[in-house]
Amino acid sequence: MTHTTVDSDEAARLRNEVVDRLVADGAISSPEVEAVMRKVPRHAFAPEASLEKAYAPYAAVITKTDAHGVQLSSVSAPQIQAMMLGQARVRPGMRVLEIGSGGLNAAYLAELVGEAGDVVTVDIDSTVTDRARRLLDEHGFGRVRVVCVDAAEPLDDLGTFDLVMVTAGAWDIPPAWTGRLTPGGRLVVPLRMRGLTRSVAFVRVDDHLESESAFVCGFVPMQGSTAHREELLLVAGTPEIGLRFDDGLPADPSLLDNAVTTPRVELWTGVEVGRGELVDTLQMHLAITLPGFCVMTVDPDLDSGIVAPSNESFSLAAVDGADFAYLTVRRTEDDKGVEYGVHALGPTASGFAKIVADHVRDWARDRRGGPNPVIRVHPAGTPDAQIPADRVIDKVHSRISLAWSPA
């Protein structure tokens, strides 16, 4: 039995409830986006889930996994879809290319562009495109074009678009995407930079892309020719402590072999943050300023207490030669927030802990509560002199620059 056979009043009630909450939370700021999210039946595009799960406001619906349980495709959480549609600034009559099919987002886009517009949705997986085609046809969106193709390859027969929206986690920006944009066109993409993913709204400016907004998000990673896996460094060669590097391992990872044999250094920064305070700029600040920036994970089944992170699955970390350090937190005395601290291990851990702690204090003084860095995408091979940046991240097809102030 599909959701189309259940009580439509209950589905409408749940749909309006989740939209009401997203409006109250500020996740929906556009009346056009609010209208389409109230109109299009989300549950009809997520038949794998119960009504309650389909309309959970901050949860995705997984639609495909591999033999190992790795997520391959999903219907994004409502707040993520609302956020990206707001970033996209879709208008009637626009031509839109969606990369990463599921059906629901293409239906939203079709409503937003109207009869005068055009929506093409593509995916590398024929199972996904077949599903999207079926669901779109069943629910009145037959005018959406669905294509099975690796979107990182040339898309010469599809024309140009006012908007390219990517709904899979991307590590690189291939020329096939930027080459499909009209002058002044917009690219909205969940872009991974040094292990941190942001939904970035880019506009085309001359020969490069420049960010207008960037928000924390998480997405199923891209497949195909632009797929990119993080590299995992197992500290001391055991799976207990893993350091994940997005752009290559340290020059000599073996230097860390004896780090866990040294006493753990603990240093508290005096930087306190309240509950619910956004710290996305802290993440970006450390990614920009620390050369050996990475993410630490701990296997809870093997945890021997060598490290004591506040989040075993995601801790901001860094490596410097034979030392590594990570951020942790403890509750403030008034229990209204947390204080950031640094744990470090290695032969010169005390010195490295101070370096990392000073970067946290610099963030609190200079970046806290401020805007995110400007993110620019330049073609690979662009000379350094032409890229204003506090850090440049080299990819295969592009050079991603991060700068705290406009050029």
Side-chain angles (χ1 to χ4, degrees):
M1 178 180 292
T2 66
H3 289 314
T4 56
T5 63
V6 301
D7 185 351
S8 60
D9 289 341
E10 176 66 5
R13 182 186 70 80
L14 291 171
R15 184 160 60 255
N16 284 318
E17 277 187 0
V18 70
V19 174
D20 288 344
R21 177 170 175 181
L22 295 179
V23 170
D25 291 349
I28 296 177
S29 56
S30 158
E32 293 82 8
V33 173
E34 178 183 350
V36 299
M37 293 191 74
R38 291 192 190 277
K39 179 179 180 180
V40 177
R42 174 179 171 87
H43 65 282
F45 292 89
E48 300 86 353
S50 66
L51 274 179
E52 290 73 17
K53 288 184 178 180
Y55 286 109
Y58 291 92
V61 175
I62 306 305
T63 58
K64 184 176 181 180
T65 59
D66 66 13
H68 305 287
V70 177
Q71 298 173 8
L72 299 178
S73 186
S74 69
V75 178
S76 297
Q79 96 280 5
I80 294 293
Q81 291 183 310
M83 176 185 73
M84 294 185 72
L85 289 170
Q87 288 181 290
R89 299 186 185 179
V90 188
R91 296 292 180 265
M94 291 176 66
R95 292 201 79 234
V96 178
L97 173 65
E98 181 194 33
I99 297 172
S101 297
L104 178 59
N105 200 62
Y108 288 148
L109 291 168
E111 288 285 345
L112 290 167
V113 303
E115 294 289 342
D118 187 22
V119 175
V120 180
T121 180
V122 304
D123 199 283
I124 194 172
D125 188 333
S126 62
T127 303
V128 172
T129 53
D130 288 348
R131 176 186 181 279
R133 177 75 280 162
R134 174 176 57 82
L135 293 174
L136 288 164
D137 287 345
E138 286 178 359
H139 300 289
F141 295 96
R143 69 182 186 275
V144 174
R145 183 178 175 187
V146 182
V147 181
C148 184
V149 67
D150 184 345
E153 302 302 321
L155 305 171
D156 297 333
D157 61 333
L158 297 182
T160 58
F161 297 88
D162 304 297
L163 166 69
V164 174
M165 176 178 279
V166 183
T167 56
W171 179 79
D172 201 356
I173 306 293
W177 300 355
T178 54
R180 293 300 97 208
L181 288 175
T182 58
R186 184 179 297 268
L187 170 68
V188 178
V189 55
L191 181 62
R192 198 169 82 235
M193 299 159 288
R194 308 205 81 193
L196 305 176
T197 301
R198 300 291 186 268
S199 175
V200 187
F202 288 108
V203 292
R204 189 169 183 170
V205 180
D206 299 326
D207 63 344
H208 69 279
L209 302 176
E210 192 159 320
S211 66
E212 280 193 345
S213 61
F215 301 106
V216 175
C217 66
F219 269 85
V220 172
M222 187 75 62
Q223 301 177 57
S225 59
T226 55
H228 180 86
R229 292 186 177 275
E230 296 173 313
E231 294 189 68
L232 178 63
L233 172 57
L234 298 177
V235 179
T238 70
E240 177 185 351
I241 305 168
L243 301 177
R244 298 185 179 276
F245 293 85
D246 205 31
D247 302 294
L249 295 174
D252 188 356
S254 66
L255 292 176
L256 284 178
D257 287 349
N258 295 317
V260 295
T261 65
T262 66
R264 187 175 72 220
V265 172
E266 184 173 277
L267 178 62
W268 295 96
T269 65
V271 175
E272 299 179 356
V273 297
R275 293 176 182 171
E277 181 178 348
L278 295 177
V279 293
D280 52 337
T281 54
L282 172 59
Q283 295 179 351
M284 295 301 290
H285 176 74
L286 296 180
I288 288 172
T289 56
L290 289 171
F293 180 83
C294 59
V295 172
M296 185 181 78
T297 59
V298 179
D299 187 329
D301 295 328
L302 301 174
D303 189 358
S304 65
I306 294 174
V307 293
S310 48
N311 185 341
E312 289 185 328
S313 63
F314 184 92
S315 297
L316 302 179
V319 169
D320 182 19
D323 303 313
F324 77 97
Y326 60 91
L327 258 57
T328 189
V329 297
R330 65 182 177 186
R331 292 186 179 277
T332 55
E333 289 186 5
D334 60 10
D335 202 30
K336 293 183 178 180
V338 296
E339 178 189 2
Y340 277 108
V342 179
H343 289 172
L345 296 95
T348 56
S350 295
F352 191 41
K354 184 179 185 304
I355 290 172
V356 176
D358 284 344
H359 281 304
V360 175
R361 297 182 184 113
D362 290 345
W363 165 78
R365 184 188 66 240
D366 301 330
R367 307 296 178 197
R368 183 177 188 171
N372 275 285
V374 177
I375 306 167
R376 296 181 178 89
V377 180
H378 300 264
T382 303
D384 288 347
Q386 297 178 23
I387 302 178
D390 294 300
R391 176 168 291 277
V392 175
I393 307 168
D394 285 308
K395 312 283 188 172
V396 175
H397 299 291
S398 63
R399 307 192 75 194
I400 311 294
S401 70
L402 304 173
W404 283 109
S405 58

